[in-house]
Amino acid sequence: MLSTIRTATPLLLSTVFLLMGVGLLHTHIALEGRALGFSVAMIGVLTSAYYAGFLLGTYTIPRLTHRIGHIRTFAFCTSLVAVVVLVQALDPVYGVWLVLRVLQGLLLVGLYAIIESWLNAVAEPAHRGSVFAVYMMVNLAASATAQQLLRIPGEGFVLFCVVAILFCAASLPVVLTTQPQPQLRSMPKVQVRRLFRLAPTALVSAFISGLVLGAFWGLLPLYAAARGLGAGDIGTYMSAAIAGGVVLQWPLGRFSDRIDRRLALSLISVVAALAAVVNLLLPTAGGVVAMMVIFVFGGMSFTLYPIAVAHLVDYLHRDELLSASSTVLLVNGVGSAVGPLLAGALMYLLRPELLFVWFAVLDGALAAYALYRFTRRKREVTADDNFVPLVNTTPTALGPRAP
């Protein structure tokens, strides 16, 4: 295990810089767009554009990797995404930002794909779950830490430069590594209809998770600003939510190993919905209680997708994993693209506080659906059912791992 981690250290170090850049970029674009006069609905469209690029990248970047290899593609994507961020800093025109957000999503999902496929290649089968647990912790911890960079003084251009620096730094460990590149594999196929017939709760959960987290990343900073928080406090608020995902994902995942995963999804969704309702009743987004509530909400929300994937894997053969993970990522990505559009329109037309009404309704609907499916068909829980923490990024995340 330790030797595997040492081998993967360059990739994990690149992940730290990359995810710090991504986490800071998401929050800063929301706040900077608000400062430029963009409406909540317009910022929601920007977030949806990012996830639209995310979907395009799952088809385009892997093909580029097949042509020029992992290291060259990684260097190309990190350099280009840094350029895109700097262009965004120089040209605060909404139409330009819209195009640049698509490009950012396309390039960043390619970088995730390279990291995760490489981790799959270097990890021994017996240690892949542990390696990806470390990867998950690094991913969310880096995103949480990045929120504190919002405290750096200066105009919006300064933080765009910090993001570009982080993206450039992310390329260095990979470019300098002496580890061999992983062997290239065939492209997976998407099978939405077949997998929905096989495990409908998994795909519905992945879609609703996308609806929730897409709005979370793009609009939660605007909600916090509307509730009176400054830039630094917004960073702490976001960090608390992401920290919930770091701390609670593993115990909740292990909990889903002990009972039917549909029942676990239903219970977790109920807690997330209750946390959203409690948040609506709080007078402000600041304070210890508010931080505790958003911590719980984030912990529940970041756990739904990996448990949904684990539920799908329970019904699959090993040779179907790559195709299945591509399919569930596609469904989640569509939800992530649609969520900010609808939630942003709701916040713009009515009140920013209704973002948590959006969260509560979606989590409540998922709780009801998962419970309904649980009553329709029972699954025998065995000792072989092992949860593996996942970050919903790319179709390679489930690559060659055993269910």
Side-chain angles (χ1 to χ4, degrees):
M1 171 62 185
L2 292 178
S3 62
T4 301
I5 295 296
R6 283 196 295 269
T7 302
T9 296
L11 291 172
L12 295 175
L13 187 56
S14 288
T15 300
V16 170
F17 291 120
L18 182 66
L19 269 298
M20 286 185 68
V22 173
L24 179 59
L25 181 63
H26 284 321
T27 307
H28 181 55
I29 283 178
L31 297 179
E32 185 67 9
R34 179 174 178 266
L36 291 172
F38 300 162
S39 68
V40 175
M42 293 170 71
I43 295 173
V45 173
L46 287 175
T47 305
S48 296
Y50 170 82
Y51 286 107
F54 192 94
L55 294 174
L56 292 174
T58 62
Y59 292 98
T60 56
I61 300 300
R63 288 171 171 78
L64 178 64
T65 305
H66 275 68
R67 288 184 56 192
I68 65 176
H70 286 69
I71 292 178
R72 289 182 179 178
T73 304
F74 196 93
F76 172 82
C77 289
T78 50
S79 299
L80 186 53
V81 75
V83 170
V84 169
V85 168
L86 292 175
V87 171
Q88 187 172 10
L90 293 171
D91 196 349
V93 176
Y94 182 78
V96 175
W97 276 34
L98 201 60
V99 175
L100 295 177
R101 283 299 271 166
V102 174
L103 289 175
Q104 288 166 6
L106 187 153
L107 294 167
L108 288 171
V109 75
L111 292 168
Y112 296 146
I114 292 168
I115 291 173
E116 292 179 12
S117 63
W118 208 327
L119 286 175
N120 270 312
V122 301
E124 295 294 332
H127 297 149
R128 283 200 179 102
S130 299
V131 169
F132 271 83
V134 173
Y135 171 66
M136 179 276 295
M137 297 291 289
V138 168
N139 191 313
L140 291 179
S143 297
T145 302
Q147 306 305 314
Q148 300 307 309
L149 297 178
L150 291 168
R151 299 179 182 274
I152 295 177
E155 299 180 355
F157 180 82
V158 174
L159 286 180
F160 277 121
C161 290
V162 173
V163 171
I165 291 170
L166 290 170
F167 286 153
C168 291
S171 69
L172 300 179
V174 168
V175 171
L176 292 174
T177 184
T178 58
Q179 297 296 325
Q181 299 184 75
Q183 295 180 354
L184 301 177
R185 303 184 177 189
S186 59
M187 300 298 295
K189 296 181 180 180
V190 174
Q191 298 177 323
V192 176
R193 183 176 300 178
R194 175 182 175 275
L195 294 180
F196 183 79
R197 289 198 301 266
L198 188 65
T201 306
L203 295 193
V204 171
S205 299
F207 179 69
I208 292 180
S209 175
L211 291 173
V212 170
L213 290 181
F216 171 92
W217 286 114
L219 301 175
L220 189 63
L222 300 181
Y223 162 84
R227 297 295 296 271
L229 270 62
D233 292 331
I234 291 173
T236 302
Y237 191 68
M238 294 291 293
S239 294
I242 301 168
V246 176
V247 174
L248 298 180
Q249 185 164 159
W250 182 264
L252 290 177
R254 297 301 297 168
F255 171 69
S256 76
D257 289 339
R258 302 293 179 259
I259 64 174
D260 191 294
R261 296 199 204 279
R262 291 164 298 181
L263 183 58
L265 286 167
S266 180
L267 294 174
I268 291 170
S269 297
V270 166
V271 176
L274 290 175
V277 171
V278 170
N279 192 85
L280 284 169
L281 302 177
L282 296 177
T284 177
V288 175
V289 175
M291 294 298 174
M292 293 174 61
V293 171
I294 199 63
F295 176 90
V296 172
F297 176 78
M300 302 298 121
S301 299
F302 280 107
T303 309
L304 291 176
Y305 177 83
I307 293 179
V309 174
H311 173 60
L312 180 61
V313 168
D314 290 336
Y315 294 92
L316 297 176
H317 297 292
R318 181 177 302 187
D319 57 1
E320 297 178 294
L321 293 182
L322 192 56
S323 174
S325 58
S326 295
T327 302
V328 75
L329 177 83
L330 176 65
V331 172
N332 180 260
V334 171
S336 298
V338 174
L341 284 175
L342 300 180
L346 186 67
M347 295 171 68
Y348 175 71
L349 295 175
L350 298 174
R351 294 188 305 165
E353 290 81 0
L354 291 182
L355 176 63
F356 275 87
V357 173
W358 170 261
F359 292 151
V361 169
L362 288 174
D363 287 321
L366 177 56
Y369 181 79
L371 183 61
Y372 165 74
R373 292 301 307 174
F374 170 71
T375 61
R376 289 290 303 274
R377 182 175 67 174
K378 299 296 176 66
R379 177 181 72 88
E380 181 181 354
V381 181
T382 70
D384 295 330
D385 292 336
N386 294 316
F387 171 82
V388 176
L390 290 175
V391 181
N392 47 327
T393 50
T394 75
T396 59
L398 277 179
R401 280 180 288 166

